[in-house]
Every structure is written in C-alpha cells, then in structure tokens.
Amino acid sequence: MQKIKSLMARQGLKSPQESMADLSPVENLRIPSKEELREMREQPIDPQAEQEIIDSIEEVYFSNDSFDMVQHELEKLPPELNLQELEEYRDKLKKQQAAVSKKVADLILEKQPAYVKELERVTALQTNLQLAAVICTNARRQLSVSKEGFTEASLGLLANQRRRQLLTSLLKSLRTIKTLQRTDVRLSEMLEEEDYPGAIQLCLECQKAASTFKHYSCISELNSKLQDTLEQIEEQLDVALSKTCKHFDVAHYTKVQLAYKLLGKTQTAMDQLHMHFTQAIHNTVFQVVLGYVELCAGNADTKFQKMQYKDLCTHITPDSYIPCLTDLCKALWEVMLSYHRTMQWHEEHDKLETTPTPDGAAAAESDELVVDRSYVKKKLEHGLTRIWQDVQLKVKAFILGTDMSNFKYDDFIVVLDVISRLMQVGEEFCGSKSEVLQESIKRQSVNYFKNYHRARLEELRMFLENETWELCPVKSNFNIAQLHEFKFMGQCRSPSVSPSRQAVSSTSQAQEELYLFQQFLQEGNPFEMHIENKEEETEDVLASNGYESDELEKSVYQDYDSDSDVPEELKQDYVDEQTGDAPLKSASRETMRSKKKSDYNLNKTNAPILTNTTLNVIRLVGKYMQMMNILKPIAFDVIHCVSQLFDYYLYAVYTFFGRNDMYESSGLGLISSRLRTTLNRIQESLIDMEAVGENAGVHGPTEDKKEKVPSPHLSQLVVLTNSGTLYGLAQRVVATESLVFLAEQFESLQSHLDTMMPAAKKPFLQQFYSQTVSTASELRKPIYWIVAAKAIDYEQMLLMMAGVKWDIREIMSQHNVYVDVLLKEFEQFNKRLGDVSRHVRIPLPVSNVLWEHCIRLANRTLVEGYANVKKCSNEGRALMQLDFQQFLMKLEKLTDLRPIPDKEFVETYIKAYYLTENDMEQFIKNHREYSMKQLANLVNVCLGSHINKKARQKLLAAIDDIDRPKR
C-alpha cells in the first residue's frame, strides 16, 4: 500500500477526499460516491480514448511530489472568468482524474497476487527478525559475561604491555635526542683536540640519527645545526691542512686525510692543499722580507705592508741582504720539505693500502678509491714543478731587487753559494735545472763581475805602481792549494754543489752520499749549515783577502817602502797559514824577523820567489775560479778576466824591467816573435795608451775605455841605475821569477779551467796558454840582458883592444892586459851576484841567463875589437887565439855554464883570418851572424895583401848583397 501511495505522490495524484478538500469552497462540488465510482469503472471506456485522456494531462502534473495543482490551476484562470468555460474545463479535469483513477485501480487489481505474496514474505521476515533479536540479546548477555570474566583482564595486560613498549621506545628516542642536543659540546672538545676524523664521524652519525627522528619538531632545528657544525669542521679542517705546508707532522696529516676521506672529499683536499702551498710560499717570503725591511727602516711605517712583494724587495739594504736571503731560503726549504714529506706519506700510505692481508684475502679496491689515488698521485707530481716554479720566481724577484755590483767579493760568493744550494734543492726536489734562477743570478753575476774585475784591475795597477819588488817570504813547500781561495778545488764534488756543501762532505763521507732531503728530513736546514761554515771560515778568508783596501794592505806597502822586512801581519797571512798553525799574536817583530831569516837560510835553494802583488793575483784568480765554479754560465767571462790579470802582470813586468829600445836593437833575438806578438796584443786590447800622467785614472764613457787599464808606472822607490846593486838585479829577479812562478801556477790550473770552459770557447784557453802563459819565461832574456849589458864595461875593453899591436912578427907567450881586465870585470860581476843572492835567491836558470848574456856580449865585444884591427900578422892572429883561450880558461872557473856561449862565434872569426879567397867567399855566404863591418875587415885586413883589388871588390860586393835584405 505504501508503494502505491508513493507512486501516486510521484504522479501528483491525490485521493478523492484530498482532492475535494483542495477545491475552492466557492465551488459547490459533489463528491462521487463509491457506487458512482463503481459505475464509472463498470462503464465500458475505450482504452484508446482513455489513453488519450491520460496523455492530455499536462506534463507538469507528473513533475514532482511538491507540485501544488490548485495553485497551478488558479494561476491559469483568465482575468475575466466565464462560468461555462470553467465548467467545461472542470469536466475535462474530472475526466482526466477519472481516467487516472481507473488506470490506477486496474494496475492494483493486476498486481494483487504479487502483493499478497509479498505481504506474506514481509510477515515471515518480521518473524525471523524477532527471532534474531532474541538471539542477539542472548549473545550480548553472554559476551558481557565473557568480557567481565576474561577479555578485560587479558586484553588490559596486552594493552599495558603495548603501552610500555611504546613508552620504552619513546624514552630511548628521547635519550637519543638528549644526546644529540649535547653533541655540539663534544664536537667542540674534539675539534680542540684536533680529532677531526672522530668529530666528522660523530657528526655524520648524529646526522643519520637525526634523520631517523625527523618527525620530532625539535630534531629539524638540530639537523640544521649539525649541518652548520659539519661546515665549521670543514673550515677548521682546511685550516689544519694549511698548517702542514710549513711544518709537516705525520700524525696531524694522517688525521686530516682520514677526515677528508670520511667526508668523501679526497680530491678536494688535494686541490686545497696545493692552493695552500702556493699561498704559504707567498706569505712566507713576504713576511720574511717585510720583517727585514721594517727592521732596517727603523720605524713603524705601515706603508711597506701594502706593497707588492716585488717592490718590497727593492727596499732591502746591502747589509741585510744576505741574512734576509738566507732566512728566505730557510723558510722556502721548510715549505718544500713539507711537500716532499707529504708525497712520502702518500707513497707509503698507498703501499700499505695495496698490500694484501696475510691470509691473501685482500678486499678489492673500489673504483672510486682507485680514481682518488690516481688523482692524488698525478696532482702531487704536477705540483712539484709548479711549487718549484713559484719558489724560483719569488727568489728571482729578491735577487733582481737589489743592485749587487758594489757587494764585497766574499758577500757575493755567499749569495752565489746560497743560490747554488737552492738550485741543488730544486734539482733534488723535482729534477729542475732552475733556468729562472740561473738566468737571474747570471744577470747579477755578469753585472757584478764587470764592476768587480774593473776595480780589481785598477787596484792591481795601483799595487804594481807601489810594488817595491821585495821578496815575500813563504814556506818552501808553498802551494796555491794551501790558500783559502783554492780550498774548493780540494773537494771532489760536482761544480753544481755549493762551497758550503764541501765542508759538510769533508767532515763525513757518509753525509756526502745523502741527498739534502734525506740528510735534513727530520731536523736541520741546509742553509743553516752554510751559515755555520761561513762563520768558521770568515776570519781566514778576510785575513787573506789581499784586495780589500784595509789597514793590513796599507801596512804592507808602508813597511816595504821603509825596509825589506815583512810585517808581522803578513807573516801570519803569507807564512803561517801555509802550515795551518795559528800564528802567535804576541810574537815580537824581532822574533818574526829572525824566524824569516832562518826560514830563508834553510829554504834558500827552493823557496818560491814571489811578491805580495803576485800572491794577491793568485788569490784573485782563486776567487774568480770560485765564482766560476759556482756559476758555470759565466765561466768564459771569468776565464777571460783571469787571462787579463796575467796579461797585465806580464805587461807590467816587461814595461818595468824589459823595455829598452837601445838594447833591443842588438840583433841577438832577445824577444821572440811570439813574445812580441803577445805584448802587442796585450797593449792593443788591455792597455789604455791615452791615459797618462795625472789623468791615468780618468776614462772616457766609451765602452772600449772601460775595458782598458792605463799602463802602470814603476815605483820611484825602485832604483834600477845603481851599479852596486847590479842595476836592480834583486828587484828584476823577484819581478821576473814571480811572473814565472805565476805562469807555473796557471799551468797547474789549466786542466781545471779546461773542464769549466764551454766547448766552443776552449780554443781561446788553449791559445792563452800557448801564446801567453808559456812566454813568461822568455821575458828573462830581455830583462836580464839589460843587467848583463851594464854590468861589464865592454867599451873599455874595446878601447884597450884598440891599443894592442897585432902586426907583430914573433909568437907571444903572454896574453894581453885587456883579458885580465875583462876577467876582473867578470869576477866583480860574480861577487856582486853573490851579494844579491844573499838577499834574494837567484835560481839556476836566472844565473845561467845572466852568465850567458855577459859571456855572449863579451865574446861579441872581442869579435868587434878584432874587427877594428887595421893591420894583423899571423903572429897577431895567434895572439888573438892565446888571449881568447886565456879568457876561456879563467872564465870556466867562474861559471858552471857549459858550453860557453858564442865560443865558436869568436873562434870561427879568428880562424877566418887564415882562409883563402875562395874559402872566404863561401865563409861570407855561410856566416851571416857577423856584421858587414866584421866581414869587410876580414877581407881588407886578412886577404888584402894576398888578393888583387878586383877580387877584393867582389868579396865586398858579396858582403853588401848579404847586408842589403837586412836594410
């Protein structure tokens, strides 16, 4: 019934009672009774017409349940009502209502059986529901009993256990959170302890734990704080990494590397490390130089701190240059040593990591680890060259920042020594040849050496002009190797090793074999050892420095000007230093003088003859070679200057004692063509002939004049005209033999110089030795010839010979007086020679040259005297032979010189008196050593009475032909 009602409601239909109630009270409508309705139903109606009536119903009546049909119909009424139309319309509505009602009634009757059946099912369902309600009630009652008896107790226990577990977990989380909150304190402690791996490990664990509890609001803040802490640790780790650049500590570096490995930033760490090394080099050199600049400036001016390093280097004073350079190299050594030890650490670490475990079950390395290791190795190897290049550039700026041209020699040698040691460090560090350093030090060396050599030549000229050519007493076993300047030659070492290294290697052979990075790996500094050695040798080097304008040199020359004694200071320098014994500072001058005399007497036969100037030249050569030994690139320049020292000394000795035009024209070949060529070359290339007199020290600005030195002048204190001293024979011997001694020392140095000389320049060295050094002994002839020419009065002998009558007619048994006079002259000469030898040892070659010259001149004087004879008989020629034999017999007792020079010259001339015309012609052609006058005398005097005028003219013409080429 309910469904029918709802259907009616959806269709907008109402029951007849409701419909009647809705009608307006104005309308007096009669409600049809049941009978009428039955009649209506019973009346046969056409189904089609019925359907048409139903279809004619407005659609709106079927729209929804809330439709108000009365309102609808009223709204449809026209403004003016018509009763008939209303009634018609009403009838139409009734018909429609009746059709709908009939239709509904038909449908109800049609569904009646189904309705009854459904109603029965509803009744049965109602019964079942009532039964179910009873069952549920019973079940609830039983469940209630069970709940009270079992479930509440048991499930309560379970619930409590679950709650307990949750609370325990919560407590654990809270404790972890509490620990995390306190982690920053522990991290700070670990960072203070420099336990970087532990701090990073703790921080990473905290971050991992924090990610687990990120659902707690307090943890989100902690997580960001941990990230900040990790970044702070990385910053401190970077600072710790930078510390290893100056002072490498294995434990410290191990911690740092492990920390970076935990961070997974091994490659980044290596990049940072190289950046720190570069920065460390810059900061180190800047601070060292800045410290010295501010110290020398003496004020708190901060302008230096803002300067560039290159500009700062220009403010270093000469006094602070060497200490600053040494400290600079010390600091750079520390940086390079740290890098070297860093590489060692990585090599050892790689070996440990790649070494398999004892059981052979070595775990395979991950690809990432292999990549990191390879990257680190390549980076470190590449960094060697880069760091050394930075070091070179910094030191180069320091070297070129100061003009070293006015440095003292010893200071400049120290600079070369330090740079040489630094280049050795570079070679060991990365195999570099240090081209940058070599070029910079070469520039400074060339500049310095030009000025230094120029000053030394000027001082050498001054010393030569003040030299009194007195003997400088040295031990008989004197050798240049005993001088400090030549100590470097006694060490068997490579030229690239600095002199300071020599002292180190001489003390310990084992240390010599060690490389610098092995020797000073744990402690010490190669540049510190250099300073120590410099301090040990400073006194000796300065004491023997003959080219410093100090009081010692002044005393030398003042003393030599006054007498022939050698000052006590020079004895300490030149005598005692040869034995290596320290001189007695309290020794009196008389004690030293007597010692000198006793030394001279003991060593008279073999003591070297040299002067102070000679010794100074030798020392200077040693200094030059020392500089050349350290700096090979300027070896040729140095050797060229060494040759100039010898050239100038040789030229000075020649101009002082050997130049005499009157005697040079004797035709005796006193000066060889080689010596003449050498002297001319020296005069053209080295001697400034324009600078004379007072203007000797003034030179023009031209480069040629800078290379030349004025010709020296002999000191006025040296007297060469006194016959009592054999015309300064002592001074001549000292000068000449000191030159020969100097040449001998040069000969001993030739092999060493040859090894230092570039291959392309070796011909220069060979020519210097063959054309110059070897000619030193040849100066003996012209120098001693002057003494020989003046020592004997040859003119007197000629006059006496002119007074002898040679055209005698009987054989004489007694020789002429002039022979005795000549022999007496020779005896006097021998006595004077002995007097001179008591002051200066006269070596056998000198004695032989002197005797040779005197005898040769005497013999030539005899020939000249015989050539002056106007008339001569056979008996007279026999007398000539007697005179000459007497002369020879007595002369052989005076000298050990054999054979007697020019003996045949005289004998052949005397015997020529006996020649025939034909033999004379051949004699003239074969004996060109005789002068035209001497040969003409033979023709005129000897053959004049035996040949006719035509034959005489023929012989004289032959003589003239011989003499013509000479003219």
Side-chain angles (χ1 to χ4, degrees):
M1 290 299 291
Q2 190 66 31
K3 286 183 178 181
I4 293 169
K5 288 181 179 181
S6 63
L7 180 61
M8 290 177 66
R10 280 195 302 272
Q11 296 296 324
L13 301 177
K14 296 183 180 180
S15 64
Q17 291 82 0
E18 291 173 341
S19 300
M20 289 303 294
D22 290 337
L23 293 174
S24 173
V26 178
E27 300 179 7
N28 185 14
L29 300 176
R30 185 178 57 85
I31 301 172
S33 60
K34 292 181 181 179
E35 290 80 7
E36 290 175 343
L37 290 172
R38 189 178 303 111
E39 289 175 357
M40 290 174 64
R41 281 194 299 271
E42 290 177 356
Q43 289 177 1
I45 301 175
D46 186 5
Q48 185 176 0
E50 186 177 344
Q51 185 63 39
E52 289 177 356
I53 293 172
I54 292 174
D55 293 338
S56 66
I57 298 174
E58 293 181 22
E59 189 69 28
V60 72
Y61 281 97
F62 302 98
S63 59
N64 54 38
D65 296 341
S66 61
F67 177 64
D68 188 357
M69 64 183 69
V70 177
Q71 183 67 26
H72 177 68
E73 289 300 335
L74 290 174
E75 288 177 354
K76 287 172 61 180
L77 291 175
E80 295 180 1
L81 301 175
N82 189 334
L83 181 60
Q84 183 178 356
E85 291 175 358
L86 288 173
E87 286 180 352
E88 290 176 358
Y89 185 63
R90 183 188 64 183
D91 292 340
K92 179 182 177 182
L93 290 174
K94 284 181 178 181
K95 287 179 181 180
Q96 290 175 349
Q97 183 181 12
V100 170
S101 298
K102 184 176 185 300
K103 185 70 174 176
V104 169
D106 291 342
L107 290 172
I108 289 172
L109 289 174
E110 184 180 348
K111 302 294 183 180
Q112 181 67 30
Y115 170 75
V116 173
K117 186 176 180 180
E118 187 65 29
L119 188 58
E120 290 176 354
R121 289 180 61 198
V122 168
T123 304
L125 179 61
Q126 184 177 7
T127 303
N128 290 333
L129 288 173
Q130 290 175 351
L131 180 60
V134 173
I135 293 171
C136 287
T137 302
N138 292 334
R140 284 181 178 177
R141 188 172 58 253
Q142 295 298 327
L143 285 172
S144 178
V145 173
S146 299
K147 177 182 177 182
E148 291 177 359
F150 173 74
T151 306
E152 286 185 357
S154 299
L155 292 179
L157 288 174
L158 292 173
N160 289 338
Q161 179 63 24
R162 182 172 176 272
R163 189 179 296 110
R164 180 183 177 184
Q165 289 179 345
L166 289 173
L167 290 174
T168 303
S169 176
L170 178 61
L171 181 61
K172 186 177 179 181
S173 297
L174 291 173
R175 285 175 178 169
T176 304
I177 292 171
K178 183 179 180 182
T179 303
L180 292 175
Q181 294 285 359
R182 294 180 178 178
T183 303
D184 57 341
V185 178
R186 178 57 187 152
L187 285 173
S188 299
E189 293 175 355
M190 295 177 84
L191 289 177
E192 289 179 2
E193 296 168 1
E194 295 187 346
D195 184 11
Y196 303 108
I200 291 173
Q201 188 72 36
L202 178 60
C203 195
L204 292 175
E205 289 175 358
C206 289
Q207 280 190 325
K208 186 176 179 181
S211 64
T212 307
F213 301 106
K214 62 184 178 181
H215 49 281
Y216 296 109
S217 58
C218 60
I219 290 299
S220 60
E221 296 179 2
L222 178 64
N223 210 357
S224 61
K225 186 177 181 182
L226 286 173
Q227 186 61 37
D228 293 340
T229 304
L230 191 61
E231 292 176 0
Q232 181 184 353
I233 292 174
E234 286 190 36
E235 291 176 2
Q236 291 198 23
L237 195 58
D238 191 52
V239 174
L241 184 65
S242 67
K243 291 180 181 178
T244 63
C245 296
K246 292 184 179 179
H247 303 287
F248 183 86
D249 181 75
V250 175
H252 178 78
Y253 189 73
T254 305
K255 288 180 183 179
V256 173
Q257 282 297 322
L258 182 58
Y260 273 111
K261 188 175 181 181
L262 289 172
L263 289 173
K265 295 184 176 182
T266 305
Q267 296 186 15
T268 305
M270 196 47 55
D271 294 337
Q272 288 293 109
L273 181 64
H274 281 79
M275 187 178 72
H276 287 313
F277 268 107
T278 302
Q279 191 65 30
I281 291 172
H282 175 75
N283 292 342
T284 299
V285 297
F286 187 84
Q287 290 302 322
V288 169
V289 176
L290 178 64
Y292 276 92
V293 170
E294 290 181 340
L295 182 66
C296 296
N299 54 33
D301 195 350
T302 58
K303 68 176 182 179
F304 297 117
Q305 297 178 359
K306 300 176 183 178
M307 283 187 177
Q308 293 292 325
Y309 170 73
K310 192 174 182 180
D311 298 330
L312 198 64
C313 291
T314 60
H315 289 78
I316 290 290
T317 61
D319 293 338
S320 62
Y321 188 86
I322 292 177
C324 183
L325 177 62
T326 307
D327 287 348
L328 198 65
C329 292
K330 283 183 188 177
L332 291 172
W333 162 261
E334 294 295 339
V335 175
M336 288 186 285
L337 180 63
S338 295
Y339 194 88
H340 177 78
R341 295 187 66 188
T342 301
M343 289 193 69
Q344 274 192 335
W345 184 92
H346 281 280
E347 289 173 3
E348 294 170 0
H349 194 66
D350 289 348
K351 288 178 183 178
L352 291 175
E353 286 190 350
T354 54
T355 303
T357 54
D359 59 0
E365 294 179 326
S366 65
D367 292 340
E368 184 179 355
L369 189 60
V370 173
V371 170
D372 284 347
R373 191 173 298 162
S374 175
Y375 179 84
V376 168
K377 185 178 180 181
K378 289 180 180 177
K379 190 76 175 177
L380 285 171
E381 290 174 353
H382 176 70
L384 282 171
T385 308
R386 177 181 166 190
I387 286 175
W388 177 239
Q389 190 68 14
D390 287 345
V391 170
Q392 286 190 90
L393 292 174
K394 297 300 181 185
V395 178
K396 175 186 177 182
F398 183 83
I399 292 173
L400 299 180
T402 302
D403 182 10
M404 290 189 280
S405 59
N406 295 319
F407 273 34
K408 291 183 179 179
Y409 170 80
D410 295 315
D411 290 342
F412 190 73
I413 285 295
V414 170
V415 173
L416 292 182
D417 187 12
V418 172
I419 299 303
S420 176
R421 175 59 63 92
L422 186 63
M423 287 192 284
Q424 182 192 356
V425 169
E427 187 169 358
E428 291 185 18
F429 186 66
C430 62
S432 170
K433 296 300 180 184
S434 308
E435 290 82 0
V436 174
L437 279 180
Q438 285 196 17
E439 181 59 30
S440 57
I441 200 65
K442 181 181 178 182
R443 282 172 57 186
Q444 284 284 30
S445 297
V446 170
N447 183 35
Y448 172 81
F449 195 72
K450 283 183 179 178
N451 290 319
Y452 181 77
H453 178 62
R454 177 66 193 170
R456 300 293 79 77
L457 281 178
E458 286 291 344
E459 289 182 354
L460 178 58
R461 179 176 69 86
M462 181 185 71
F463 290 160
L464 287 168
E465 290 181 348
N466 288 279
E467 180 63 71
T468 55
W469 303 102
E470 297 287 349
L471 186 68
C472 177
V474 294
K475 294 290 186 181
S476 59
N477 62 348
F478 171 75
N479 189 295
I480 60 171
Q482 297 166 341
L483 298 175
H484 288 302
E485 286 80 2
F486 292 90
K487 291 292 185 185
F488 72 95
M489 291 177 60
Q491 306 295 335
C492 297
R493 63 179 186 84
S494 167
S496 64
V497 180
S498 60
S500 64
R501 177 80 183 272
Q502 303 157 22
V504 178
S505 59
S506 64
T507 57
S508 173
Q509 187 66 27
Q511 280 187 345
E512 185 180 11
E513 298 173 0
L514 291 177
Y515 288 111
L516 291 176
F517 283 98
Q518 294 174 328
Q519 187 177 344
F520 302 101
L521 184 63
Q522 298 299 331
E523 60 181 358
N525 192 303
F527 300 98
E528 285 179 354
M529 296 199 70
H530 160 77
I531 292 300
E532 292 171 5
N533 289 316
K534 177 178 180 290
E535 290 173 355
E536 291 173 5
E537 297 185 3
T538 293
E539 183 178 354
D540 288 338
V541 172
L542 292 177
S544 61
N545 184 3
Y547 269 80
E548 296 297 335
S549 298
D550 52 13
E551 293 301 322
L552 181 135
E553 283 301 322
K554 291 178 182 177
S555 67
V556 172
Y557 287 103
Q558 289 170 359
D559 195 73
Y560 268 122
D561 291 346
S562 60
D563 56 56
S564 61
D565 288 335
V566 180
E568 180 180 340
E569 293 84 350
L570 277 182
K571 287 192 176 68
Q572 293 176 4
D573 188 15
Y574 294 152
V575 180
D576 292 344
E577 78 168 8
Q578 314 308 331
T579 62
D581 297 328
L584 296 174
K585 295 183 179 179
S586 60
S588 66
R589 187 177 183 85
E590 288 73 15
T591 303
M592 299 306 291
R593 183 180 298 144
S594 63
K595 183 177 180 181
K596 168 207 163 185
K597 185 174 181 181
S598 62
D599 286 347
Y600 169 75
N601 291 333
L602 287 173
N603 304 308
K604 179 179 178 181
T605 56
N606 57 359
I609 297 177
L610 67 159
T611 65
N612 283 316
T613 304
T614 316
L615 202 57
N616 286 328
V617 171
I618 294 173
R619 290 184 186 278
L620 198 55
V621 170
K623 292 178 180 180
Y624 280 26
M625 291 180 63
Q626 195 174 1
M627 188 183 301
M628 174 177 58
N629 201 45
I630 298 173
L631 200 68
K632 271 195 169 183
I634 66 167
F636 173 70
D637 299 318
V638 177
I639 291 177
H640 178 66
C641 293
V642 168
S643 71
Q644 287 186 341
L645 295 176
F646 186 86
D647 288 346
Y648 196 69
Y649 193 89
L650 183 147
Y651 186 82
V653 171
Y654 167 72
T655 53
F656 289 172
F657 304 104
R659 177 183 284 175
N660 194 312
D661 296 335
M662 181 178 69
Y663 296 112
E664 284 181 6
S665 60
S666 65
L668 295 177
L670 297 173
I671 297 182
S672 65
S673 60
R674 184 175 61 165
L675 179 58
R676 173 66 59 195
T677 302
T678 298
L679 292 170
N680 290 337
R681 176 188 61 79
I682 296 173
Q683 183 169 307
E684 291 173 5
S685 63
L686 188 62
I687 306 302
D688 184 5
M689 302 305 294
E690 296 180 11
V692 292
E694 296 180 357
N695 297 325
V698 181
H699 301 283
T702 60
E703 196 64 30
D704 289 341
K705 288 203 171 186
K706 286 186 178 181
E707 297 294 330
K708 293 185 177 183
V709 189
S711 180
H713 301 286
L714 183 63
S715 172
Q716 295 179 355
L717 298 174
V718 180
V719 179
L720 301 179
T721 56
N722 188 352
S723 61
T725 60
L726 277 181
Y727 305 95
L729 178 61
Q731 287 85 356
R732 293 176 189 273
V733 170
V734 171
T736 309
E737 300 313 305
S738 67
L739 174 64
V740 173
F741 177 80
L742 185 62
E744 291 171 354
Q745 306 314 305
F746 267 78
E747 293 284 357
S748 68
L749 295 173
Q750 184 176 4
S751 59
H752 188 84
L753 292 174
D754 190 64
T755 59
M756 305 299 294
M757 186 67 116
K761 301 292 185 179
K762 286 188 177 182
F764 167 82
L765 187 66
Q766 295 168 359
Q767 185 179 10
F768 167 67
Y769 272 92
S770 63
Q771 298 295 326
T772 306
V773 176
S774 62
T775 60
S777 60
E778 295 180 12
L779 273 180
R780 284 171 172 163
K781 284 188 176 182
I783 290 175
Y784 297 138
W785 188 87
I786 296 175
V787 175
K790 293 181 177 181
I792 307 295
D793 192 351
Y794 304 104
E795 294 294 330
Q796 180 189 2
M797 189 173 68
L798 281 175
L799 293 173
M800 293 183 70
M801 290 178 71
V804 176
K805 188 175 181 181
W806 299 103
D807 55 347
I808 58 178
R809 295 300 175 185
E810 59 182 48
I811 301 296
M812 303 295 292
S813 61
Q814 180 66 32
H815 61 272
N816 283 301
V817 178
Y818 74 88
V819 176
D820 295 328
V821 173
L822 181 60
L823 287 171
K824 190 174 181 180
E825 289 276 345
F826 271 100
E827 289 173 359
Q828 185 68 24
F829 170 74
N830 192 32
K831 179 177 177 298
R832 291 176 182 175
L833 207 58
D835 293 340
V836 172
S837 67
R838 280 194 288 273
H839 294 88
V840 176
R841 178 176 66 88
I842 299 180
L844 184 61
V846 177
S847 175
N848 288 342
V849 169
L850 283 167
W851 278 103
E852 179 185 350
H853 282 330
C854 288
I855 295 171
R856 194 183 297 275
L857 286 169
N859 286 338
R860 289 179 180 270
T861 304
L862 287 173
V863 171
E864 186 66 23
Y866 296 150
N868 290 333
V869 175
K870 303 299 183 182
K871 294 179 181 180
C872 182
S873 63
N874 289 334
E875 292 77 9
R877 290 192 287 274
L879 182 58
M880 290 180 184
Q881 287 183 325
L882 178 64
D883 291 345
F884 186 61
Q885 291 302 321
Q886 177 69 16
F887 173 67
L888 291 178
M889 183 179 67
K890 296 290 185 181
L891 186 65
E892 287 176 350
K893 294 179 181 179
L894 294 174
T895 177
D896 296 327
L897 186 64
R898 298 292 185 277
I900 298 297
D902 281 354
K903 175 183 176 183
E904 294 79 6
F905 183 80
V906 180
E907 290 178 341
T908 304
Y909 190 81
I910 294 174
K911 290 176 181 178
Y913 279 88
Y914 300 100
L915 296 177
T916 63
E917 178 184 346
N918 294 331
D919 292 335
M920 181 60 73
E921 186 176 356
Q922 191 64 35
F923 179 88
I924 291 170
K925 292 180 180 179
N926 294 336
H927 295 275
R928 299 190 177 188
E929 66 269 20
Y930 299 107
S931 67
M932 181 180 174
K933 173 189 173 184
Q934 293 166 354
L935 293 173
N937 181 267
L938 288 176
V939 173
N940 292 325
V941 176
C942 300
L943 300 177
S945 60
H946 305 297
I947 59 176
N948 56 34
K949 185 176 181 181
K950 184 178 179 181
R952 185 188 301 118
Q953 292 297 329
K954 179 182 177 183
L955 291 174
L956 290 175
I959 295 172
D960 191 57
D961 291 340
I962 294 172
D963 188 61
R964 189 175 290 113
K966 296 181 181 179
R967 290 179 290 179

